[in-house]
Amino acid sequence: MIQLYNLTLDELTDLFAKWGEPAYRARQVWRWLYVQKVTDAAEMTNLPAPLRERLAREASVNMLEPVRRLFSADGRTVKWLFRLPDGQLIESVLMGYADGRRTACISTQAGCAMGCVFCATGQMGFARNLSVGEIVMQAVEVARWLESRGERLSNVVFMGMGEPLHNYDAVLAAIRRLNAPEGLGIGQRHITLSTVGLVPQIRRFADEKLQVKLAVSLHAATDEERSALLPVNKRWPLSELIGACHYYVEKTGRRVTFEWALIAGENDTMAQAHALGSLLEGLLCHVNLIPLNPTSGYEGLPPDKQRVAAFQKILADHGIRSTVRIRRGIDINAGCGQLKAEVLKEEHRA
Ligand code: SAH
Ligand code: SF4
């Protein structure tokens, strides 16, 4: 079965050439995929019937089977659990903001190999990389859902399940397709990639000269503390990671966003705040402080408001800007990997 969303426009053109179809048919199909966002080849009404039938027989426009869809109590967050053709489950989230942004948070891997202790996806382990089509289709699904309500997808963040830079080629191809005017047309500045800190890939990403925003999951400012939370730190310690971030800023002229999940009594201490202040000195950056979203596989809890404010005050004293962000849709397990974990538990019980 040919998965149409896995093909580039050139590959689709080649396929149709092989089938003896004129080249403009590829562009027509492309529009059905990325503009009209059809779910079935039968809907491609400007194609001759025999071609539609051949597509229906030999190709698929649908790799994501929705298994669950949940809405947060405030109605602004929607979460999908999709089943892939081989049975793997992945999650995608839509977040709506008061300023009109409609952001899709998408997955890049089934599971994750990085093993961050507080992360529901990390607790599951790694199954496999997603294909370009499986990545792009999540955004297509969210966009279709929005368009049926008269809204448009404006932003995409690679912050779902998996480590995007561990699936580098597919993620890069997905970024290009999301961005292409004849793809989904999402501006590069409206795309954010979040990484746990794979140093060689951050440098390579800097060399791509994209305008995509880079977020780095930092979570601790000393190697001892960071290695305890994020095993990847043993491979690429802070000095190398911060070095790669400086390289990124030099190459792109863009600031780096650091993510910091605040965990009570763990990385919310004044000592960590001061260490963070020193670590980021002279780096064009912003820090997002996110009170931990508790998961079943980790005992940590978020700190109280006063403690968050005290941490932020120390950063400000170091001249570092930060924003406190509340994880959206906690009531629907919208944290990374949590819905899948929940459904797997249910299936296990059944
Ligand atoms: N693998 C990438 C992107 C996916 S995770 C990365 O780690 O950056 C997206 C963000 O959610 C990361 O910053 C991650 O550290 C954070 N995160 C994971 N589990 C969390 C939890 N339980 N509470 C708060 N943030 C969490
Ligand atoms: Fe993987 Fe990111 Fe979760 Fe770490 S936080 S386990 S890198 S998905």
Side-chain angles (χ1 to χ4, degrees), residues 112 114 116 118-121 158-164 194-197 215-219 230 259-262 290-295 327 335-336 338:
C112 183
M114 300 299 140
C116 307
F118 51 77
C119 171
T121 307
F158 289 86
M159 292 191 185
M161 304 171 74
E163 166 50 44
S194 175
T195 178
V196 71
V216 173
S217 299
L218 198 56
H219 306 309
L230 284 63
E259 291 162 281
W260 191 285
L262 282 162
I290 309 137
L292 183 80
N293 189 9
T295 53
R327 283 262 138 193
C336 172
Q338 288 181 287

PDB file of all heavy atoms in Angstrom, residues 112 114 116 118-121 158-164 194-197 215-219 230 259-262 290-295 327 335-336 338, ligand 1:
ATOM      1  N   CYS A 112       9.832   6.896  23.286  1.00  0.00           N
ATOM      2  CA  CYS A 112      11.051   7.710  23.244  1.00  0.00           C
ATOM      3  C   CYS A 112      12.169   6.957  23.931  1.00  0.00           C
ATOM      4  O   CYS A 112      11.964   6.280  24.937  1.00  0.00           O
ATOM      5  CB  CYS A 112      10.829   9.051  23.950  1.00  0.00           C
ATOM      6  SG  CYS A 112      12.272  10.139  23.855  1.00  0.00           S
ATOM      7  N   MET A 114      14.872   8.357  25.273  1.00  0.00           N
ATOM      8  CA  MET A 114      15.716   9.219  26.099  1.00  0.00           C
ATOM      9  C   MET A 114      15.540   9.007  27.601  1.00  0.00           C
ATOM     10  O   MET A 114      16.385   9.408  28.387  1.00  0.00           O
ATOM     11  CB  MET A 114      15.488  10.688  25.731  1.00  0.00           C
ATOM     12  CG  MET A 114      15.805  10.998  24.281  1.00  0.00           C
ATOM     13  SD  MET A 114      17.549  10.666  23.887  1.00  0.00           S
ATOM     14  CE  MET A 114      17.401   9.940  22.271  1.00  0.00           C
ATOM     15  N   CYS A 116      13.806  10.282  30.105  1.00  0.00           N
ATOM     16  CA  CYS A 116      13.708  11.328  31.136  1.00  0.00           C
ATOM     17  C   CYS A 116      12.747  10.833  32.216  1.00  0.00           C
ATOM     18  O   CYS A 116      11.650  10.352  31.908  1.00  0.00           O
ATOM     19  CB  CYS A 116      13.211  12.639  30.524  1.00  0.00           C
ATOM     20  SG  CYS A 116      14.222  13.130  29.110  1.00  0.00           S
ATOM     21  N   PHE A 118      10.777  11.957  34.533  1.00  0.00           N
ATOM     22  CA  PHE A 118       9.452  12.509  34.873  1.00  0.00           C
ATOM     23  C   PHE A 118       8.475  12.466  33.709  1.00  0.00           C
ATOM     24  O   PHE A 118       7.344  12.913  33.816  1.00  0.00           O
ATOM     25  CB  PHE A 118       9.602  13.961  35.348  1.00  0.00           C
ATOM     26  CG  PHE A 118      10.403  14.808  34.397  1.00  0.00           C
ATOM     27  CD1 PHE A 118       9.849  15.272  33.226  1.00  0.00           C
ATOM     28  CD2 PHE A 118      11.742  15.118  34.686  1.00  0.00           C
ATOM     29  CE1 PHE A 118      10.599  16.035  32.343  1.00  0.00           C
ATOM     30  CE2 PHE A 118      12.498  15.872  33.804  1.00  0.00           C
ATOM     31  CZ  PHE A 118      11.921  16.333  32.627  1.00  0.00           C
ATOM     32  N   CYS A 119       8.906  11.927  32.555  1.00  0.00           N
ATOM     33  CA  CYS A 119       8.103  12.014  31.340  1.00  0.00           C
ATOM     34  C   CYS A 119       7.364  10.703  31.068  1.00  0.00           C
ATOM     35  O   CYS A 119       7.987   9.631  31.042  1.00  0.00           O
ATOM     36  CB  CYS A 119       9.007  12.357  30.168  1.00  0.00           C
ATOM     37  SG  CYS A 119       8.183  12.243  28.566  1.00  0.00           S
ATOM     38  N   ALA A 120       6.051  10.801  30.843  1.00  0.00           N
ATOM     39  CA  ALA A 120       5.225   9.603  30.612  1.00  0.00           C
ATOM     40  C   ALA A 120       5.693   8.854  29.360  1.00  0.00           C
ATOM     41  O   ALA A 120       5.670   7.621  29.334  1.00  0.00           O
ATOM     42  CB  ALA A 120       3.754   9.989  30.488  1.00  0.00           C
ATOM     43  N   THR A 121       6.123   9.578  28.342  1.00  0.00           N
ATOM     44  CA  THR A 121       6.601   8.918  27.118  1.00  0.00           C
ATOM     45  C   THR A 121       7.922   8.206  27.383  1.00  0.00           C
ATOM     46  O   THR A 121       8.136   7.073  26.955  1.00  0.00           O
ATOM     47  CB  THR A 121       6.791   9.936  25.979  1.00  0.00           C
ATOM     48  OG1 THR A 121       5.590  10.672  25.826  1.00  0.00           O
ATOM     49  CG2 THR A 121       7.124   9.244  24.671  1.00  0.00           C
ATOM     50  N   PHE A 158       6.786  20.747  17.849  1.00  0.00           N
ATOM     51  CA  PHE A 158       7.237  19.354  17.949  1.00  0.00           C
ATOM     52  C   PHE A 158       7.535  19.088  19.417  1.00  0.00           C
ATOM     53  O   PHE A 158       8.679  19.084  19.851  1.00  0.00           O
ATOM     54  CB  PHE A 158       8.482  19.128  17.080  1.00  0.00           C
ATOM     55  CG  PHE A 158       8.198  19.153  15.600  1.00  0.00           C
ATOM     56  CD1 PHE A 158       8.189  20.348  14.902  1.00  0.00           C
ATOM     57  CD2 PHE A 158       7.919  17.981  14.905  1.00  0.00           C
ATOM     58  CE1 PHE A 158       7.920  20.376  13.533  1.00  0.00           C
ATOM     59  CE2 PHE A 158       7.654  17.999  13.537  1.00  0.00           C
ATOM     60  CZ  PHE A 158       7.648  19.196  12.855  1.00  0.00           C
ATOM     61  N   MET A 159       6.451  18.926  20.174  1.00  0.00           N
ATOM     62  CA  MET A 159       6.583  18.710  21.622  1.00  0.00           C
ATOM     63  C   MET A 159       5.716  17.550  22.087  1.00  0.00           C
ATOM     64  O   MET A 159       5.424  17.427  23.264  1.00  0.00           O
ATOM     65  CB  MET A 159       6.167  19.979  22.387  1.00  0.00           C
ATOM     66  CG  MET A 159       7.107  21.137  22.208  1.00  0.00           C
ATOM     67  SD  MET A 159       6.712  22.426  23.386  1.00  0.00           S
ATOM     68  CE  MET A 159       7.850  23.696  22.856  1.00  0.00           C
ATOM     69  N   GLY A 160       5.281  16.730  21.148  1.00  0.00           N
ATOM     70  CA  GLY A 160       4.497  15.562  21.534  1.00  0.00           C
ATOM     71  C   GLY A 160       5.422  14.433  21.946  1.00  0.00           C
ATOM     72  O   GLY A 160       6.499  14.658  22.493  1.00  0.00           O
ATOM     73  N   MET A 161       5.024  13.213  21.617  1.00  0.00           N
ATOM     74  CA  MET A 161       5.839  12.070  22.031  1.00  0.00           C
ATOM     75  C   MET A 161       7.092  11.984  21.168  1.00  0.00           C
ATOM     76  O   MET A 161       7.051  12.172  19.960  1.00  0.00           O
ATOM     77  CB  MET A 161       5.022  10.788  21.867  1.00  0.00           C
ATOM     78  CG  MET A 161       3.714  10.846  22.638  1.00  0.00           C
ATOM     79  SD  MET A 161       2.651   9.454  22.239  1.00  0.00           S
ATOM     80  CE  MET A 161       3.513   8.182  23.119  1.00  0.00           C
ATOM     81  N   GLY A 162       8.197  11.640  21.827  1.00  0.00           N
ATOM     82  CA  GLY A 162       9.425  11.379  21.086  1.00  0.00           C
ATOM     83  C   GLY A 162      10.393  12.538  21.067  1.00  0.00           C
ATOM     84  O   GLY A 162      10.058  13.668  21.411  1.00  0.00           O
ATOM     85  N   GLU A 163      11.631  12.229  20.681  1.00  0.00           N
ATOM     86  CA  GLU A 163      12.692  13.230  20.588  1.00  0.00           C
ATOM     87  C   GLU A 163      12.889  13.559  19.100  1.00  0.00           C
ATOM     88  O   GLU A 163      13.429  12.738  18.348  1.00  0.00           O
ATOM     89  CB  GLU A 163      13.975  12.682  21.227  1.00  0.00           C
ATOM     90  CG  GLU A 163      15.232  13.461  20.928  1.00  0.00           C
ATOM     91  CD  GLU A 163      15.116  14.965  21.164  1.00  0.00           C
ATOM     92  OE1 GLU A 163      14.551  15.392  22.187  1.00  0.00           O
ATOM     93  OE2 GLU A 163      15.585  15.730  20.296  1.00  0.00           O
ATOM     94  N   PRO A 164      12.448  14.756  18.665  1.00  0.00           N
ATOM     95  CA  PRO A 164      12.472  15.064  17.232  1.00  0.00           C
ATOM     96  C   PRO A 164      13.857  14.940  16.595  1.00  0.00           C
ATOM     97  O   PRO A 164      13.971  14.451  15.469  1.00  0.00           O
ATOM     98  CB  PRO A 164      11.982  16.511  17.158  1.00  0.00           C
ATOM     99  CG  PRO A 164      11.563  16.921  18.511  1.00  0.00           C
ATOM    100  CD  PRO A 164      11.839  15.817  19.475  1.00  0.00           C
ATOM    101  N   SER A 194      11.302  21.175  19.903  1.00  0.00           N
ATOM    102  CA  SER A 194      11.823  21.036  21.263  1.00  0.00           C
ATOM    103  C   SER A 194      12.711  19.804  21.347  1.00  0.00           C
ATOM    104  O   SER A 194      12.320  18.719  20.932  1.00  0.00           O
ATOM    105  CB  SER A 194      10.647  20.905  22.248  1.00  0.00           C
ATOM    106  OG  SER A 194      11.128  20.651  23.545  1.00  0.00           O
ATOM    107  N   THR A 195      13.906  19.996  21.866  1.00  0.00           N
ATOM    108  CA  THR A 195      14.830  18.857  21.987  1.00  0.00           C
ATOM    109  C   THR A 195      15.349  18.706  23.414  1.00  0.00           C
ATOM    110  O   THR A 195      15.507  19.676  24.143  1.00  0.00           O
ATOM    111  CB  THR A 195      16.047  18.992  21.040  1.00  0.00           C
ATOM    112  OG1 THR A 195      16.927  17.873  21.250  1.00  0.00           O
ATOM    113  CG2 THR A 195      16.809  20.290  21.288  1.00  0.00           C
ATOM    114  N   VAL A 196      15.650  17.460  23.764  1.00  0.00           N
ATOM    115  CA  VAL A 196      16.199  17.150  25.073  1.00  0.00           C
ATOM    116  C   VAL A 196      17.687  17.532  25.130  1.00  0.00           C
ATOM    117  O   VAL A 196      18.280  17.564  26.204  1.00  0.00           O
ATOM    118  CB  VAL A 196      15.986  15.646  25.371  1.00  0.00           C
ATOM    119  CG1 VAL A 196      16.900  14.781  24.500  1.00  0.00           C
ATOM    120  CG2 VAL A 196      16.178  15.314  26.838  1.00  0.00           C
ATOM    121  N   GLY A 197      18.269  17.814  23.939  1.00  0.00           N
ATOM    122  CA  GLY A 197      19.667  18.256  23.937  1.00  0.00           C
ATOM    123  C   GLY A 197      20.637  17.316  23.253  1.00  0.00           C
ATOM    124  O   GLY A 197      21.695  16.994  23.814  1.00  0.00           O
ATOM    125  N   ALA A 215      13.611  25.048  21.030  1.00  0.00           N
ATOM    126  CA  ALA A 215      13.446  24.978  22.479  1.00  0.00           C
ATOM    127  C   ALA A 215      14.319  23.833  22.984  1.00  0.00           C
ATOM    128  O   ALA A 215      14.410  22.789  22.340  1.00  0.00           O
ATOM    129  CB  ALA A 215      11.985  24.721  22.831  1.00  0.00           C
ATOM    130  N   VAL A 216      15.001  24.059  24.094  1.00  0.00           N
ATOM    131  CA  VAL A 216      15.865  23.030  24.667  1.00  0.00           C
ATOM    132  C   VAL A 216      15.368  22.707  26.077  1.00  0.00           C
ATOM    133  O   VAL A 216      15.177  23.600  26.903  1.00  0.00           O
ATOM    134  CB  VAL A 216      17.336  23.500  24.707  1.00  0.00           C
ATOM    135  CG1 VAL A 216      18.204  22.503  25.461  1.00  0.00           C
ATOM    136  CG2 VAL A 216      17.865  23.708  23.291  1.00  0.00           C
ATOM    137  N   SER A 217      15.116  21.427  26.322  1.00  0.00           N
ATOM    138  CA  SER A 217      14.639  20.996  27.632  1.00  0.00           C
ATOM    139  C   SER A 217      15.835  20.912  28.573  1.00  0.00           C
ATOM    140  O   SER A 217      16.623  19.983  28.500  1.00  0.00           O
ATOM    141  CB  SER A 217      13.959  19.630  27.510  1.00  0.00           C
ATOM    142  OG  SER A 217      12.864  19.737  26.650  1.00  0.00           O
ATOM    143  N   LEU A 218      15.953  21.892  29.442  1.00  0.00           N
ATOM    144  CA  LEU A 218      17.147  21.991  30.284  1.00  0.00           C
ATOM    145  C   LEU A 218      16.914  21.324  31.642  1.00  0.00           C
ATOM    146  O   LEU A 218      17.610  20.402  32.020  1.00  0.00           O
ATOM    147  CB  LEU A 218      17.525  23.469  30.436  1.00  0.00           C
ATOM    148  CG  LEU A 218      18.930  23.779  30.898  1.00  0.00           C
ATOM    149  CD1 LEU A 218      19.973  23.152  29.990  1.00  0.00           C
ATOM    150  CD2 LEU A 218      19.133  25.299  30.956  1.00  0.00           C
ATOM    151  N   HIS A 219      15.965  21.839  32.397  1.00  0.00           N
ATOM    152  CA  HIS A 219      15.463  21.234  33.643  1.00  0.00           C
ATOM    153  C   HIS A 219      16.434  21.184  34.812  1.00  0.00           C
ATOM    154  O   HIS A 219      16.027  20.897  35.939  1.00  0.00           O
ATOM    155  CB  HIS A 219      14.915  19.818  33.419  1.00  0.00           C
ATOM    156  CG  HIS A 219      13.867  19.724  32.355  1.00  0.00           C
ATOM    157  ND1 HIS A 219      12.761  20.542  32.327  1.00  0.00           N
ATOM    158  CD2 HIS A 219      13.751  18.923  31.263  1.00  0.00           C
ATOM    159  CE1 HIS A 219      12.007  20.240  31.267  1.00  0.00           C
ATOM    160  NE2 HIS A 219      12.598  19.270  30.606  1.00  0.00           N
ATOM    161  N   LEU A 230      17.673  13.585  33.396  1.00  0.00           N
ATOM    162  CA  LEU A 230      17.748  13.347  31.949  1.00  0.00           C
ATOM    163  C   LEU A 230      19.010  12.546  31.648  1.00  0.00           C
ATOM    164  O   LEU A 230      20.107  13.101  31.556  1.00  0.00           O
ATOM    165  CB  LEU A 230      17.828  14.690  31.192  1.00  0.00           C
ATOM    166  CG  LEU A 230      16.564  15.528  31.028  1.00  0.00           C
ATOM    167  CD1 LEU A 230      16.005  15.993  32.345  1.00  0.00           C
ATOM    168  CD2 LEU A 230      16.817  16.727  30.141  1.00  0.00           C
ATOM    169  N   GLU A 259      13.378  25.095  28.434  1.00  0.00           N
ATOM    170  CA  GLU A 259      12.239  24.610  29.201  1.00  0.00           C
ATOM    171  C   GLU A 259      12.733  24.025  30.520  1.00  0.00           C
ATOM    172  O   GLU A 259      13.762  23.345  30.570  1.00  0.00           O
ATOM    173  CB  GLU A 259      11.484  23.553  28.396  1.00  0.00           C
ATOM    174  CG  GLU A 259      10.784  24.171  27.194  1.00  0.00           C
ATOM    175  CD  GLU A 259      10.415  23.136  26.161  1.00  0.00           C
ATOM    176  OE1 GLU A 259      11.298  22.730  25.400  1.00  0.00           O
ATOM    177  OE2 GLU A 259       9.258  22.741  26.146  1.00  0.00           O
ATOM    178  N   TRP A 260      11.977  24.333  31.538  1.00  0.00           N
ATOM    179  CA  TRP A 260      12.374  23.925  32.884  1.00  0.00           C
ATOM    180  C   TRP A 260      11.113  23.477  33.624  1.00  0.00           C
ATOM    181  O   TRP A 260      10.300  24.308  34.007  1.00  0.00           O
ATOM    182  CB  TRP A 260      13.029  25.122  33.586  1.00  0.00           C
ATOM    183  CG  TRP A 260      13.711  24.813  34.878  1.00  0.00           C
ATOM    184  CD1 TRP A 260      13.110  24.556  36.072  1.00  0.00           C
ATOM    185  CD2 TRP A 260      15.130  24.764  35.121  1.00  0.00           C
ATOM    186  NE1 TRP A 260      14.059  24.333  37.033  1.00  0.00           N
ATOM    187  CE2 TRP A 260      15.317  24.461  36.480  1.00  0.00           C
ATOM    188  CE3 TRP A 260      16.256  24.954  34.312  1.00  0.00           C
ATOM    189  CZ2 TRP A 260      16.574  24.342  37.059  1.00  0.00           C
ATOM    190  CZ3 TRP A 260      17.505  24.833  34.889  1.00  0.00           C
ATOM    191  CH2 TRP A 260      17.664  24.526  36.248  1.00  0.00           C
ATOM    192  N   ALA A 261      10.949  22.169  33.771  1.00  0.00           N
ATOM    193  CA  ALA A 261       9.807  21.641  34.515  1.00  0.00           C
ATOM    194  C   ALA A 261      10.163  21.719  35.990  1.00  0.00           C
ATOM    195  O   ALA A 261      11.069  21.016  36.448  1.00  0.00           O
ATOM    196  CB  ALA A 261       9.522  20.200  34.101  1.00  0.00           C
ATOM    197  N   LEU A 262       9.491  22.571  36.728  1.00  0.00           N
ATOM    198  CA  LEU A 262       9.836  22.757  38.146  1.00  0.00           C
ATOM    199  C   LEU A 262       9.310  21.600  38.989  1.00  0.00           C
ATOM    200  O   LEU A 262       8.119  21.278  38.967  1.00  0.00           O
ATOM    201  CB  LEU A 262       9.250  24.067  38.658  1.00  0.00           C
ATOM    202  CG  LEU A 262      10.030  25.323  38.254  1.00  0.00           C
ATOM    203  CD1 LEU A 262       9.152  26.565  38.418  1.00  0.00           C
ATOM    204  CD2 LEU A 262      11.310  25.465  39.084  1.00  0.00           C
ATOM    205  N   ILE A 290       7.780  25.556  33.873  1.00  0.00           N
ATOM    206  CA  ILE A 290       6.544  24.782  33.789  1.00  0.00           C
ATOM    207  C   ILE A 290       6.433  23.910  35.032  1.00  0.00           C
ATOM    208  O   ILE A 290       7.183  22.946  35.178  1.00  0.00           O
ATOM    209  CB  ILE A 290       6.562  23.869  32.542  1.00  0.00           C
ATOM    210  CG1 ILE A 290       6.915  24.682  31.297  1.00  0.00           C
ATOM    211  CG2 ILE A 290       5.233  23.136  32.368  1.00  0.00           C
ATOM    212  CD1 ILE A 290       7.894  23.974  30.395  1.00  0.00           C
ATOM    213  N   PRO A 291       5.513  24.251  35.961  1.00  0.00           N
ATOM    214  CA  PRO A 291       5.347  23.380  37.128  1.00  0.00           C
ATOM    215  C   PRO A 291       5.080  21.947  36.659  1.00  0.00           C
ATOM    216  O   PRO A 291       4.262  21.731  35.764  1.00  0.00           O
ATOM    217  CB  PRO A 291       4.133  23.970  37.849  1.00  0.00           C
ATOM    218  CG  PRO A 291       4.071  25.401  37.387  1.00  0.00           C
ATOM    219  CD  PRO A 291       4.602  25.408  35.984  1.00  0.00           C
ATOM    220  N   LEU A 292       5.793  20.990  37.213  1.00  0.00           N
ATOM    221  CA  LEU A 292       5.716  19.585  36.778  1.00  0.00           C
ATOM    222  C   LEU A 292       4.277  19.091  36.706  1.00  0.00           C
ATOM    223  O   LEU A 292       3.469  19.366  37.589  1.00  0.00           O
ATOM    224  CB  LEU A 292       6.489  18.688  37.751  1.00  0.00           C
ATOM    225  CG  LEU A 292       6.527  17.214  37.337  1.00  0.00           C
ATOM    226  CD1 LEU A 292       7.583  16.985  36.281  1.00  0.00           C
ATOM    227  CD2 LEU A 292       6.772  16.310  38.534  1.00  0.00           C
ATOM    228  N   ASN A 293       4.005  18.341  35.663  1.00  0.00           N
ATOM    229  CA  ASN A 293       2.736  17.643  35.526  1.00  0.00           C
ATOM    230  C   ASN A 293       2.992  16.226  36.042  1.00  0.00           C
ATOM    231  O   ASN A 293       3.713  15.463  35.398  1.00  0.00           O
ATOM    232  CB  ASN A 293       2.403  17.649  34.025  1.00  0.00           C
ATOM    233  CG  ASN A 293       1.013  17.160  33.741  1.00  0.00           C
ATOM    234  OD1 ASN A 293       0.210  16.951  34.637  1.00  0.00           O
ATOM    235  ND2 ASN A 293       0.739  16.968  32.471  1.00  0.00           N
ATOM    236  N   PRO A 294       2.452  15.871  37.213  1.00  0.00           N
ATOM    237  CA  PRO A 294       2.814  14.570  37.799  1.00  0.00           C
ATOM    238  C   PRO A 294       2.427  13.400  36.888  1.00  0.00           C
ATOM    239  O   PRO A 294       1.409  13.449  36.207  1.00  0.00           O
ATOM    240  CB  PRO A 294       1.997  14.527  39.090  1.00  0.00           C
ATOM    241  CG  PRO A 294       1.671  15.945  39.392  1.00  0.00           C
ATOM    242  CD  PRO A 294       1.533  16.631  38.070  1.00  0.00           C
ATOM    243  N   THR A 295       3.269  12.369  36.843  1.00  0.00           N
ATOM    244  CA  THR A 295       2.988  11.167  36.053  1.00  0.00           C
ATOM    245  C   THR A 295       3.069   9.951  36.970  1.00  0.00           C
ATOM    246  O   THR A 295       3.686  10.017  38.037  1.00  0.00           O
ATOM    247  CB  THR A 295       4.042  10.984  34.936  1.00  0.00           C
ATOM    248  OG1 THR A 295       5.352  11.028  35.519  1.00  0.00           O
ATOM    249  CG2 THR A 295       3.949  12.074  33.887  1.00  0.00           C
ATOM    250  N   ARG A 327       0.877  23.800  32.226  1.00  0.00           N
ATOM    251  CA  ARG A 327       0.613  22.763  31.223  1.00  0.00           C
ATOM    252  C   ARG A 327      -0.866  22.786  30.871  1.00  0.00           C
ATOM    253  O   ARG A 327      -1.718  22.729  31.749  1.00  0.00           O
ATOM    254  CB  ARG A 327       0.974  21.374  31.756  1.00  0.00           C
ATOM    255  CG  ARG A 327       2.443  21.113  31.751  1.00  0.00           C
ATOM    256  CD  ARG A 327       2.869  20.321  30.546  1.00  0.00           C
ATOM    257  NE  ARG A 327       4.100  20.887  30.057  1.00  0.00           N
ATOM    258  CZ  ARG A 327       4.628  20.611  28.878  1.00  0.00           C
ATOM    259  NH1 ARG A 327       4.033  19.801  28.065  1.00  0.00           N
ATOM    260  NH2 ARG A 327       5.737  21.176  28.509  1.00  0.00           N
ATOM    261  N   GLY A 335      -0.500  16.046  28.967  1.00  0.00           N
ATOM    262  CA  GLY A 335       0.961  15.979  29.064  1.00  0.00           C
ATOM    263  C   GLY A 335       1.443  14.853  28.162  1.00  0.00           C
ATOM    264  O   GLY A 335       0.727  13.889  27.918  1.00  0.00           O
ATOM    265  N   CYS A 336       2.668  15.040  27.703  1.00  0.00           N
ATOM    266  CA  CYS A 336       3.322  14.137  26.767  1.00  0.00           C
ATOM    267  C   CYS A 336       3.199  12.659  27.155  1.00  0.00           C
ATOM    268  O   CYS A 336       3.729  12.220  28.160  1.00  0.00           O
ATOM    269  CB  CYS A 336       4.767  14.615  26.761  1.00  0.00           C
ATOM    270  SG  CYS A 336       5.990  13.700  25.938  1.00  0.00           S
ATOM    271  N   GLN A 338       0.729  10.845  28.279  1.00  0.00           N
ATOM    272  CA  GLN A 338      -0.093  10.394  29.401  1.00  0.00           C
ATOM    273  C   GLN A 338      -1.373   9.692  28.994  1.00  0.00           C
ATOM    274  O   GLN A 338      -1.824   8.780  29.673  1.00  0.00           O
ATOM    275  CB  GLN A 338      -0.421  11.586  30.303  1.00  0.00           C
ATOM    276  CG  GLN A 338       0.784  12.041  31.074  1.00  0.00           C
ATOM    277  CD  GLN A 338       0.433  13.185  31.977  1.00  0.00           C
ATOM    278  OE1 GLN A 338       0.225  14.306  31.546  1.00  0.00           O
ATOM    279  NE2 GLN A 338       0.323  12.894  33.247  1.00  0.00           N
TER     280      GLN A 338
HETATM  281  N1  SAH B   1      11.566  15.168  23.412  1.00  0.00           N
HETATM  282  C1  SAH B   1      11.458  16.574  23.311  1.00  0.00           C
HETATM  283  C2  SAH B   1      10.059  17.068  22.982  1.00  0.00           C
HETATM  284  C3  SAH B   1       8.892  16.387  23.617  1.00  0.00           C
HETATM  285  S1  SAH B   1       8.662  16.647  25.336  1.00  0.00           S
HETATM  286  C4  SAH B   1      11.964  17.221  24.581  1.00  0.00           C
HETATM  287  O1  SAH B   1      12.159  16.538  25.563  1.00  0.00           O
HETATM  288  O2  SAH B   1      12.189  18.430  24.549  1.00  0.00           O
HETATM  289  C5  SAH B   1       8.087  18.321  25.441  1.00  0.00           C
HETATM  290  C6  SAH B   1       8.411  18.992  26.760  1.00  0.00           C
HETATM  291  O3  SAH B   1       7.610  18.469  27.824  1.00  0.00           O
HETATM  292  C7  SAH B   1       9.863  18.835  27.182  1.00  0.00           C
HETATM  293  O4  SAH B   1      10.384  20.065  27.631  1.00  0.00           O
HETATM  294  C8  SAH B   1       9.732  17.860  28.331  1.00  0.00           C
HETATM  295  O5  SAH B   1      10.824  17.934  29.196  1.00  0.00           O
HETATM  296  C9  SAH B   1       8.442  18.286  28.955  1.00  0.00           C
HETATM  297  N2  SAH B   1       7.821  17.319  29.857  1.00  0.00           N
HETATM  298  C10 SAH B   1       7.811  15.977  29.746  1.00  0.00           C
HETATM  299  N3  SAH B   1       7.139  15.429  30.784  1.00  0.00           N
HETATM  300  C11 SAH B   1       6.733  16.446  31.559  1.00  0.00           C
HETATM  301  C12 SAH B   1       6.001  16.524  32.798  1.00  0.00           C
HETATM  302  N4  SAH B   1       5.563  15.430  33.395  1.00  0.00           N
HETATM  303  N5  SAH B   1       5.761  17.749  33.318  1.00  0.00           N
HETATM  304  C13 SAH B   1       6.197  18.862  32.693  1.00  0.00           C
HETATM  305  N6  SAH B   1       6.897  18.869  31.540  1.00  0.00           N
HETATM  306  C14 SAH B   1       7.158  17.666  30.982  1.00  0.00           C
END
